Amino acid sequence: VSATIEDVARRAQVSVATVSRALRDLPNVAPATRERVAAAARDLQYVADPSASRLAGGRGLTVGMVVPSLARWYDAQLLAGAEAELAGSDRTDARAGGYELLPFSSASIGGMDHFFGTRPFRKRVDGLIVAEGPLEEDQIERIADAGVALVTVGFLHEETPGLTIDHAAAAGLAVAHLAGLGHRRVALLGGVDETLRFSPLSERYRGYTDAIEGAGLDADPRLAVPGACSLRGGADAMHRLLELPAVPTALVACSDEMAIGAMQVARDAGLRVPGELSIVGIDDHDVAEYVGLTTVGQDVIGQGARAVQLLLEYLTEGTAEVVHETSPTRLLVRRTTGPPAPRSPRSGEP
Amino acid sequence: VSATIEDVARRAQVSVATVSRALRDLPNVAPATRERVAAAARDLQYVADPSASRLAGGRGLTVGMVVPSLARWYDAQLLAGAEAELAGSDRTDARAGGYELLPFSSASIGGMDHFFGTRPFRKRVDGLIVAEGPLEEDQIERIADAGVALVTVGFLHEETPGLTIDHAAAAGLAVAHLAGLGHRRVALLGGVDETLRFSPLSERYRGYTDAIEGAGLDADPRLAVPGACSLRGGADAMHRLLELPAVPTALVACSDEMAIGAMQVARDAGLRVPGELSIVGIDDHDVAEYVGLTTVGQDVIGQGARAVQLLLEYLTEGTAEVVHETSPTRLLVRRTTGPPAPRSPRSGEP
DNA sequence: TTGTAAGCGTTATCAC
DNA sequence: GTGATAACGCTTACAA
């Protein structure tokens, strides 16, 4: 049905080997020849078959992306950014139809260990973007052994290129904003106890505690309530927070979804937001603006795109140095934060 | 690095041909042999290389999914459902590492026409789930010619298996709910004018107008405001609605995101929801529950999963008949709908 | 600079 | 029921 490399070779009056070289911009091809081949390929609308390409030892033009759950906002944005970048990229080897993106939710692959162990990811992808950390040493090794390029997002690993936001700083920014408004009792939703080392969550927890101490606020450990970074997680965490003897006047949630979940529970409990409880999230979720949520925003789509750029650089240029980038973050003050209310309840919010 | 079919053949004392047959459950393999091969494959942790498989004329174990935008909630849910089903499915040919999902946003592929024309989708996927309609006849033909199985989601095509909700009924359900509350002037956000034939949007529009007429409500064409099914689209549409001489007492939005966008604008304009304006969305977006949005819910994740099931059936069994399914929909009454307020404004909402 | 030819790991077609 | 063996379309030594 489709043109093969032989068709192109015939049309350009050269051998298939030359076509292969010319189309991939490899050296040792006369400019004139290269030109002729390119023309032939264009005429025939030729694009190399990725399967054949990969089987023969070349690239399969596929990059994988591992995220916790494709249904989450964050992961979806990341994926969207990556896919768009991949499709729009010009690093597509001229010859190719371009790279494609293969998403994996860590839930469905039965954990990263299982994935890198059993799954034939090695036979399917040339590169991998991993957005769920941390990554164990042996996992990294396995990936490298399989000849798969790797880029991390949301967390960094010493010897692996990657990009992330400064999670600690993000949490700190939120706390500082609240401290500046006069709050002294600030909670954290999504705080971890001990668990993981360099996970985004533990970093945010660290940023939170550091900021609390730095600003001289109430350092009550009970104010750091663990919980999943989801709507439900936020709701659950808020319930626990409400059981505390002294309810805080403000809280930082580890994600906007968590913040929205918490907000709902707080309002149901009769707390005015921001009157009696100020809330700030992290992410700048699409709906944040529409529910008036103050948050520390990050450009997730941009990060997805950037991750792809990095990966493609490694893939096509085999860059040696390990690039680590920090994506910016910024405070977006909206309507869920304000100064703490005086002791006695009174109206104020429209 | 990885075991090949030859390794398995050697270990099972048979030829590669037999291994191939045995592992794919093809006929003409003695039970004992089949057993032995399976054991050998298991021992060696053998999984067929999809590239080789596809190149040789078999399946590449990849299904593609085309959606408008991976960043949208609906598309993300659909993808998540499909991916999970694919990973969990047991129809994975025993031999295989299972099928993988390749998502394409129609934005990035430059429109469906371009996609099916230029892109090497034919060399990459065995099946396609298309969630953006309508599909033109010649596009369907192209897909069939490429030997790619096809399933549609969200809309139906005569000769193609697919599943969808009853869009018209969904919109009708929303209108009926509002009519039941006593509203007589009900708007539609996302209404189309003429455009597409069988798109979800036009179906919802039809369901809306039919219900309006059926219930004898105000049939003012200006109440059907076109707009994108997004937060922004909802906000924009709401602005236009507010400019109408007689503002409606209730509205149906074509998606929850649209509803949330509209709600924000309405409240900013000083309208109490549901006091002065009742709002109902469609989808049951994750956050809908948390913002108290009344909506006509659908199970998007379930639809993604079901689409995969259908596709896999066609792929593995070559089923002949064209299956069309309708996914259920149900009204979820929350806090954005209520009876229309009496003429004069007065308090009521906590 | 270019061509020849040997794989790459499967599947499919035939004989047996 | 099973086993050779020829594709499949491409990449990559190695020759020329």
Side-chain angles (χ1 to χ4, degrees):
Chain A
V1 191
S2 213
T4 77
I5 197 173
E6 289 208 69
D7 299 327
V8 179
R10 202 152 26 231
R11 191 169 226 274
Q13 312 262 39
V14 294
S15 71
V16 295
T18 302
V19 173
S20 180
R21 281 184 223 117
L23 257 23
R24 279 180 304 154
D25 285 326
L26 293 187
N28 292 330
V29 177
T33 311
R34 198 185 294 280
E35 185 75 21
R36 203 143 32 85
V37 171
R42 206 178 317 115
D43 294 348
L44 268 36
Q45 297 209 51
Y46 168 78
V47 281
D49 181 327
S51 299
S53 196
R54 158 166 283 271
L55 184 56
R59 303 238 149 267
L61 296 183
T62 305
V63 323
M65 179 158 181
V66 181
V67 298
S69 160
L70 293 169
R72 303 192 325 170
W73 178 84
Y74 179 92
D75 297 343
Q77 304 303 303
L78 208 56
L79 182 68
E83 200 259 352
E85 178 65 27
L86 223 36
S89 173
D90 263 345
R91 321 180 67 85
T92 51
D93 275 25
R95 94 194 133 135
Y99 280 79
E100 315 287 15
L101 228 207
L102 217 44
F104 299 95
S105 75
S106 40
S108 73
I109 57 180
M112 307 274 283
D113 278 346
H114 181 255
F115 180 60
F116 296 128
T118 322
R119 277 259 168 170
F121 82 98
R122 48 178 25 148
K123 329 185 108 162
R124 302 191 77 103
V125 303
D126 304 313
L128 214 46
I129 296 174
V130 176
E132 185 181 32
L135 230 36
E136 306 300 339
E137 294 303 328
D138 69 310
Q139 291 179 148
I140 300 230
E141 203 173 328
R142 274 229 214 61
I143 297 176
D145 286 352
V148 174
L150 176 64
V151 168
T152 65
V153 178
F155 68 100
L156 261 23
H157 174 90
E158 187 79 31
E159 302 148 15
T160 306
L163 64 152
T164 181
I165 60 168
D166 186 332
H167 295 287
L173 208 53
V175 172
H177 168 58
L178 294 168
L181 286 169
H183 293 274
R184 303 209 43 87
R185 201 164 165 73
V186 176
L188 176 73
L189 262 43
V192 290
D193 307 275
E194 1 63 47
T195 45
L196 316 173
R197 298 165 307 168
F198 281 116
S199 73
L201 232 51
S202 65
E203 284 298 291
R204 290 177 186 185
Y205 177 67
R206 186 171 64 74
Y208 160 80
T209 52
D210 285 359
I212 291 285
E213 285 175 22
L217 308 185
D218 287 9
D220 183 343
R222 289 170 305 180
L223 288 176
V225 182
C229 289
S230 62
L231 290 157
R232 180 48 152 287
D236 292 346
M238 188 68 218
H239 275 124
R240 260 169 284 138
L241 204 57
L242 289 173
E243 289 167 0
L244 251 43
V247 175
T249 62
L251 70 82
V252 176
C254 274
S255 82
D256 284 353
E257 285 168 297
M258 198 167 198
I260 292 170
M263 181 154 48
Q264 158 71 4
V265 170
R267 284 183 168 149
D268 267 6
L271 286 177
R272 279 171 294 123
V273 176
E276 294 163 285
L277 180 70
S278 280
I279 298 181
V280 20
I282 292 180
D283 275 351
D284 196 22
H285 187 295
D286 289 336
V287 307
E289 175 184 352
Y290 292 87
V291 298
L293 179 65
T294 293
T295 190
V296 177
Q298 62 169 321
D299 176 14
V300 186
I301 291 186
Q303 288 174 59
R306 185 60 187 145
V308 162
Q309 289 174 1
L310 286 179
L311 196 58
L312 256 32
E313 273 176 29
Y314 281 78
L315 243 28
T316 61
E317 295 163 19
T319 314
E321 58 177 329
V322 173
V323 176
H324 278 181
E325 290 185 2
T326 300
S327 182
T329 236
R330 73 186 207 284
L331 181 70
L332 298 161
V333 179
R334 296 204 263 245
R335 305 190 313 274
T336 56
T337 49
R343 268 303 175 210
S344 60
R346 63 169 186 187
S347 67
E349 194 191 11
Chain B
V1 192
S2 214
T4 78
I5 197 173
E6 289 209 68
D7 299 327
V8 179
R10 201 150 28 229
R11 191 169 224 273
Q13 312 264 41
V14 293
S15 72
V16 296
T18 302
V19 173
S20 181
R21 279 188 296 252
L23 258 23
R24 279 180 304 156
D25 286 325
L26 293 186
N28 290 331
V29 177
T33 312
R34 198 184 294 282
E35 184 77 20
R36 201 143 33 86
V37 171
R42 207 178 317 113
D43 294 348
L44 268 36
Q45 297 209 49
Y46 169 77
V47 282
D49 181 327
S51 299
S53 194
R54 160 166 279 271
L55 183 57
R59 304 242 147 265
L61 296 182
T62 305
V63 325
M65 177 158 184
V66 181
V67 298
S69 159
L70 293 169
R72 303 192 325 170
W73 177 83
Y74 179 92
D75 297 343
Q77 305 302 305
L78 207 56
L79 183 68
E83 200 260 353
E85 179 65 26
L86 224 35
S89 173
D90 264 344
R91 321 181 65 87
T92 51
D93 274 27
R95 94 192 136 141
Y99 281 79
E100 316 287 14
L101 229 207
L102 218 44
F104 299 96
S105 76
S106 40
S108 73
I109 57 180
M112 308 274 283
D113 278 346
H114 180 255
F115 180 60
F116 297 128
T118 322
R119 278 261 169 169
F121 81 97
R122 45 178 28 148
K123 330 185 108 162
R124 304 191 74 105
V125 303
D126 305 313
L128 214 46
I129 296 172
V130 176
E132 184 181 32
L135 230 35
E136 306 298 340
E137 294 303 328
D138 68 310
Q139 291 179 147
I140 301 232
E141 202 174 328
R142 274 230 213 60
I143 297 176
D145 286 351
V148 174
L150 176 63
V151 167
T152 64
V153 178
F155 68 101
L156 260 24
H157 175 90
E158 187 80 30
E159 301 148 15
T160 307
L163 64 152
T164 180
I165 59 169
D166 185 333
H167 295 288
L173 209 52
V175 172
H177 168 58
L178 294 168
L181 287 170
H183 293 274
R184 304 209 42 88
R185 204 167 161 70
V186 176
L188 175 72
L189 262 43
V192 289
D193 306 275
E194 1 63 49
T195 45
L196 315 174
R197 296 166 307 168
F198 281 117
S199 72
L201 231 51
S202 65
E203 284 299 290
R204 291 177 186 186
Y205 175 67
R206 186 171 65 73
Y208 160 82
T209 51
D210 285 359
I212 291 285
E213 285 175 21
L217 308 186
D218 286 10
D220 183 343
R222 290 171 305 179
L223 288 176
V225 182
C229 288
S230 61
L231 290 157
R232 180 50 151 286
D236 292 347
M238 189 68 219
H239 275 124
R240 257 168 287 138
L241 205 57
L242 289 172
E243 289 165 1
L244 250 44
V247 175
T249 62
L251 70 81
V252 176
C254 274
S255 81
D256 284 351
E257 286 169 295
M258 198 167 198
I260 292 171
M263 180 155 47
Q264 158 70 5
V265 170
R267 284 184 167 148
D268 267 5
L271 286 178
R272 278 171 296 122
V273 176
E276 292 163 287
L277 181 71
S278 280
I279 298 181
V280 19
I282 292 180
D283 275 351
D284 195 21
H285 186 296
D286 290 336
V287 307
E289 176 184 351
Y290 292 86
V291 297
L293 179 66
T294 292
T295 191
V296 177
Q298 62 170 322
D299 176 14
V300 187
I301 290 185
Q303 288 174 61
R306 185 60 188 145
V308 162
Q309 289 173 1
L310 286 179
L311 196 57
L312 255 32
E313 271 175 31
Y314 282 78
L315 243 28
T316 62
E317 295 163 20
T319 314
E321 57 177 330
V322 173
V323 176
H324 278 182
E325 290 185 2
T326 300
S327 183
T329 236
R330 73 186 207 283
L331 180 69
L332 297 160
V333 179
R334 295 204 264 244
R335 307 190 312 274
T336 56
T337 49
R343 268 307 174 209
S344 61
R346 63 169 186 188
S347 66
E349 194 190 12

